[in-house]
Amino acid sequence: MNKSVFQRILLAMLFVWMPLAFFNRAADGVLLTKELIGLVVCVYFGALVSMGGRWVFRLALVQLLFLFTLWMVGDSLFISLVKMEALKSSIHLFLIVGSFLAVLFACSRNIPYEKLLHFSLFAGFIMAIYGLVQSLGLQGINWNNRFENRAFATLGSPDYLGGYLVGLLPLVFILTLCSKNLKSWLLFRGITMALFAGLMVTKVRGSYLALAGAMLFILASFLFPWGRDLARRNYRYILLVFGILLIGGGAYIALHGGLAIFSRSQTSVQQRMETYQVTWEMVKDHPWLGIGLGQLGIQYPLYQHRLFKPVDYAQHPFTYSEHVHNEFLQFWVEGGLPGLLLFLGLLAFFAWALYRFWTNPGSKAEDKELLVRVAGGMVAL
């Protein structure tokens, strides 16, 4: 087996196997066998980058990503109460960085970026089908009040599956528009329907809002030169998709009591808001250095007790969590203000890079369309 084939197999493992390897009861921030698979792949590509792709480290976005990761890990190991939890949670950040470097290096060796997107869609398709199987009760899960028959596939929580699928839907939507023959058009249409159905059975309202935001972003992109021609070629299909989303969204809101489903009177919304309140108490105590990766669940009971006394728990949903469910607040409480600012800097730098590419007359039209797909998923996330 030559080196090129071996690299492609490892890439397939990284992008297809990783989401499927999550045990269905996997806890947050715990190092299990699933992480080891991705870690082995990332270490291999890290070695290749070090030997023949050091140019990768000269890219400003990579340098900023490393700075963010090193701050989060170093700060956490310095200030965390439980060092082992900080170390376990650090593995996830290294996997993200490793995946990013693997993509950069692989694409520089003539492995098409679009092929990697297809790997991800294949994994998402299987996850969506698995979620549908769960929602139909065919897996034999003993459902509890926490999940209420909501699918989570292998990701341990409906929120994670919803976020995973909603990031892929804008991608497959644009891939459908860019299809050059009927066979690929039908294939991407089928994947779109599977991902959308999988998203619906997660019953994560936040992901529905994320999908709406991403589709509005794509709709806006059709007004610019890099999306106008794509829209002109597919205007009937675009009208059909947005019509279905409008009718379906309206029906969902009407069936669930109107816009009140997003109000603070909802128990789930109260839980999120009270989680934010408890986390904010931690931020006020540790604004500059934070509490460290993996420490939220350890310190949460103490700070919840500060806001809600045990005698008041009947009036407040029990909101214990190991995640804030808000990335900006999460990085602030874990990595302090420098962690938050570095994270915001990454997002801003990425957005600026996209803008420069789209407005560059030398960029190819098909490459601009490709980035609309990726940016749509990023907007959703």
Side-chain angles (χ1 to χ4, degrees), residues 352-381:
W352 175 245
L354 288 177
Y355 175 77
R356 285 193 305 166
F357 188 86
W358 280 327
T359 54
N360 183 358
S363 301
K364 295 181 181 178
E366 57 268 27
D367 291 336
K368 292 182 179 181
E369 292 174 358
L370 175 66
L371 278 186
V372 170
R373 316 169 200 176
V374 178
M378 291 295 293
V379 168
L381 292 174

Side-chain angles (χ1 to χ4, degrees), residues 18 117 119 184 187 241 332 340:
M18 275 295 294
L117 298 180
F119 282 154
S184 64
L187 174 64
V241 169
W332 194 350
L340 173 64

Side-chain angles (χ1 to χ4, degrees), residues 159 162-171 199 204-218 327-328 347 350 372-381:
D159 293 329
Y164 180 68
L165 296 179
V166 79
L168 293 175
L169 272 165
L171 166 64
L199 179 66
V204 178
R205 283 170 295 181
S207 67
Y208 301 162
L209 291 174
L211 179 61
M215 296 307 286
L216 287 174
F217 167 81
I218 290 175
E327 300 302 327
F328 307 100
L347 296 181
F350 179 73
V372 170
R373 316 169 200 176
V374 178
M378 291 295 293
V379 168
L381 292 174

Side-chain angles (χ1 to χ4, degrees), residues 3 10 32-33 38 40 97 122 136 169 182 207 235 242 265 279 294 317 323 326 336 338 351:
K3 183 196 263 186
L10 286 174
L32 299 173
T33 308
V40 168
V97 175
F122 177 66
L136 294 173
L169 272 165
L182 181 61
S207 67
Y235 73 92
F242 278 89
S265 62
T279 305
H323 280 292
N326 180 307

Side-chain angles (χ1 to χ4, degrees), residues 2-221:
N2 61 47
K3 183 196 263 186
S4 175
V5 174
F6 186 53
Q7 290 181 15
R8 289 170 187 268
I9 291 173
L10 286 174
L11 278 169
M13 289 175 62
L14 185 63
F15 288 94
V16 178
W17 174 250
M18 275 295 294
L20 307 179
F22 277 57
F23 182 59
N24 62 7
R25 302 302 302 173
D28 301 328
V30 177
L31 180 62
L32 299 173
T33 308
K34 59 187 175 62
E35 276 86 5
L36 292 178
I37 297 169
L39 196 59
V40 168
V41 177
C42 289
V43 167
Y44 173 79
F45 275 101
L48 291 181
V49 168
S50 298
M51 290 186 292
R54 292 176 185 169
W55 59 269
V56 167
F57 298 107
R58 293 195 293 269
L59 299 176
L61 185 59
V62 174
Q63 293 172 355
L64 188 56
L65 181 62
F66 265 98
L67 182 60
F68 167 71
T69 304
L70 291 175
W71 167 263
M72 294 297 295
V73 174
D75 175 60
S76 298
L77 293 176
F78 176 70
I79 55 95
S80 293
L81 294 177
V82 182
K83 307 297 184 187
M84 192 61 191
E85 289 302 318
L87 184 61
K88 290 178 180 178
S89 298
S90 300
I91 297 296
H92 296 281
L93 285 181
F94 282 117
L95 285 174
I96 293 171
V97 175
S99 300
F100 185 59
L101 290 179
V103 170
L104 286 176
F105 184 76
C107 292
S108 72
R109 298 299 178 93
N110 297 320
I111 296 178
Y113 183 64
E114 194 154 348
K115 184 181 290 293
L116 306 184
L117 298 180
H118 292 168
F119 282 154
S120 299
L121 279 179
F122 177 66
F125 173 76
I126 297 177
M127 296 282 280
I129 296 300
Y130 189 7
L132 289 169
V133 168
Q134 286 179 338
S135 68
L136 294 173
L138 301 180
Q139 194 190 4
I141 297 173
N142 294 321
W143 296 101
N144 55 39
N145 291 330
R146 179 187 176 197
F147 287 150
E148 299 172 346
N149 293 349
R150 296 161 61 195
F152 57 89
T154 65
L155 290 179
S157 167
D159 293 329
Y160 303 156
L161 179 61
Y164 180 68
L165 296 179
V166 79
L168 293 175
L169 272 165
L171 166 64
V172 73
F173 174 64
I174 301 295
L175 278 171
T176 305
L177 300 185
C178 295
S179 299
K180 293 181 171 51
N181 55 66
L182 181 61
K183 183 178 178 181
S184 64
W185 188 83
L186 291 173
L187 174 64
F188 289 129
R189 274 289 304 275
I191 294 175
T192 302
M193 289 187 286
L195 295 182
F196 185 73
L199 179 66
M200 290 298 101
V201 296
T202 64
K203 301 179 184 178
V204 178
R205 283 170 295 181
S207 67
Y208 301 162
L209 291 174
L211 179 61
M215 296 307 286
L216 287 174
F217 167 81
I218 290 175
L219 189 62
S221 73

